[in-house]
Amino acid sequence: MQISVVIPLLNEEQSLAELYNWIAKVMRSNSFSYEIIFIDDGSTDNSWKTIAAIADKDKAVKGIKFNRNYGKSQALHAGFLKAEGDVVITMDADLQDNPDEIPELYKMISEEEYQLVSGWKKKRYDSVLAKNLPSKLFNAAARKTSGLKLHDFNCGLKAYNKAVIKNIDVYGEMHRYIPVLAKNAGFYKIAEKEVKHQARKYGKTKFGPERFIFGFLDLLTIWFLSKFGRRPMHLFGSLGVLMFVIGFFTAGYVGFSKLYKMYNNEPNILVALNPWFYIALTVMIIGSQLFLAGFVGELILRSKRDKERYLITKTTENY
């Protein structure tokens, strides 16, 4: 199979039939062998009924339904597990991503041998203050932190070599940083393609301004995991030892100063009244705790077990 199109969605019943027809038209006109995987992330409208009806008519369409809303990352994770195409295309279900981009994205992966191609919505039809400006700041921070020169990390329209999506773990809210996850996994042939952005035709956005706050927090998380995720003791242990040594020598200075002044009959105060004694004690305790945090992190890393992160209640008969 040449292409798998993975589409996470939440309450998009109005756009699904139109989106399916558009994708199918593009696929047939280019004679692609393909599948379309809809992942219903706990919709409360008739999205699942629409997916099931489309799947009954076209065996290339497959559906997965979650029992509740788990988030876009979990939906992508489920879709990636099921995808069978050599090239995997992701897009949103709100018709803001243009299926006419699929042939060129496929070509960049299959012929130009890129491992990941990320869409760039250079011209956007969103609110400038609510979305465009925060998005620019968010992307600038992501570029600086990750080292990837992409303009639009959060664009839902992306293309992947199958090996990429089978070897990265998309969890939490990390769908924004799939290119970074791919880079950290050793997939370095990452490109960007300018894509058309459509104005929203139905419904309203499912993401509020808080996604940018969470996005920055996730960016810090992924930076930390990329640097120390496999060796937490290197960070916590080093900081712990450093702070313990500083505290130890500070305590030694307090003790030496006390003895020196006693020997020379100079005015002196009790150690318990010296603020440096408590500073040294606090620093040593914090250092010990950081060292233990690194040790516990190493134990967790070695004993963790995979488990299901979402509950699938239904799939279409094509599965």
Side-chain angles (χ1 to χ4, degrees):
M1 185 182 296
Q2 291 173 292
I3 300 177
S4 293
V5 183
V6 176
I7 305 173
L9 63 105
L10 175 65
N11 296 332
E12 298 286 359
E13 64 172 311
Q14 293 175 297
S15 63
L16 290 176
E18 185 174 339
L19 178 62
Y20 159 72
N21 289 328
W22 194 352
I23 294 172
K25 179 182 177 182
V26 171
M27 295 297 186
R28 291 163 186 164
S29 64
N30 288 274
S31 301
F32 289 135
S33 58
Y34 69 97
E35 63 179 357
I36 304 173
I37 305 173
F38 290 104
I39 304 96
D40 183 351
D41 186 21
S43 295
T44 55
D45 62 1
N46 291 318
S47 292
W48 179 251
K49 290 182 179 179
T50 304
I51 294 169
I54 296 172
D56 286 340
K57 296 177 182 178
D58 186 349
K59 298 305 179 184
V61 176
K62 302 172 182 179
I64 298 171
K65 179 176 174 57
F66 288 172
N67 71 313
R68 65 172 178 84
N69 177 237
Y70 287 96
K72 188 174 181 178
S73 292
Q74 311 305 328
L76 287 173
H77 182 270
F80 288 165
L81 286 178
K82 296 290 188 179
E84 298 177 0
D86 295 327
V87 175
V88 177
I89 308 285
T90 60
M91 64 172 53
D92 294 335
D94 55 12
L95 295 175
Q96 290 192 282
D97 294 332
N98 192 329
D100 289 334
E101 304 283 356
I102 290 176
E104 185 61 28
L105 290 170
Y106 174 77
K107 180 181 178 182
M108 293 180 72
I109 298 292
S110 61
E111 296 182 18
E112 299 178 33
E113 298 185 349
Y114 287 108
Q115 295 168 315
L116 188 156
V117 180
S118 180
W120 173 23
K121 299 173 181 176
K122 188 173 183 179
K123 183 178 180 181
R124 300 179 64 99
Y125 294 93
D126 294 320
S127 167
V128 174
L129 292 178
K131 280 197 171 184
N132 290 3
L133 183 59
S135 181
K136 287 182 182 296
L137 295 174
F138 167 79
N139 284 306
R143 283 193 298 273
K144 185 70 174 178
T145 304
S146 68
L148 283 173
K149 305 304 179 183
L150 300 179
H151 291 86
D152 192 357
F153 283 81
N154 204 35
C155 178
L157 186 57
K158 291 182 174 67
Y160 311 83
N161 182 291
K162 184 178 181 179
V164 176
I165 59 106
K166 297 299 183 183
N167 288 282
I168 60 173
D169 186 15
V170 186
Y171 60 93
E173 292 296 322
M174 295 300 177
H175 60 273
R176 303 178 181 92
Y177 302 110
I178 292 180
V180 184
L181 295 175
K183 178 188 175 185
N184 291 343
F187 299 100
Y188 301 112
K189 297 192 68 175
I190 298 173
E192 185 173 58
K193 180 185 182 301
E194 187 175 334
V195 297
K196 296 178 182 177
H197 182 226
Q198 313 287 120
R200 175 176 277 275
K201 190 173 182 179
Y202 304 108
K204 59 182 181 179
T205 182
K206 310 302 186 298
F207 301 100
E210 70 278 359
R211 70 171 178 159
F212 294 105
I213 299 174
F214 297 152
F216 282 115
L217 295 176
D218 289 336
L219 183 60
L220 294 176
T221 299
I222 203 168
W223 173 84
F224 172 80
L225 292 176
S226 67
K227 295 287 186 180
F228 304 104
R230 297 183 182 277
R231 50 185 193 280
M233 181 58 89
H234 286 200
L235 175 64
F236 293 108
S238 299
L239 288 175
V241 170
L242 177 63
M243 294 194 71
F244 186 88
V245 169
I246 292 173
F248 179 81
F249 279 106
T250 302
Y253 167 76
V254 171
F256 176 79
S257 177
K258 174 73 174 178
L259 293 174
Y260 178 82
K261 290 180 179 180
M262 288 179 60
Y263 181 78
N264 290 282
N265 294 319
E266 295 181 8
N268 201 358
I269 62 173
L270 294 173
V271 170
L273 297 179
N274 190 332
W276 282 105
F277 171 73
Y278 295 101
I279 293 173
L281 190 63
T282 301
V283 171
M284 290 173 69
I285 292 172
I286 293 174
S288 299
Q289 290 177 330
L290 285 171
F291 184 86
L292 287 174
F295 182 70
V296 171
E298 292 283 347
L299 291 177
I300 294 173
L301 193 63
R302 284 161 174 73
S303 62
K304 68 177 182 178
R305 295 290 184 269
D306 293 332
K307 62 179 182 179
E308 292 297 327
R309 300 180 305 206
Y310 43 80
L311 177 62
I312 296 174
T313 55
K314 295 178 182 179
T315 61
T316 56
E317 292 182 2
N318 301 344
Y319 275 127

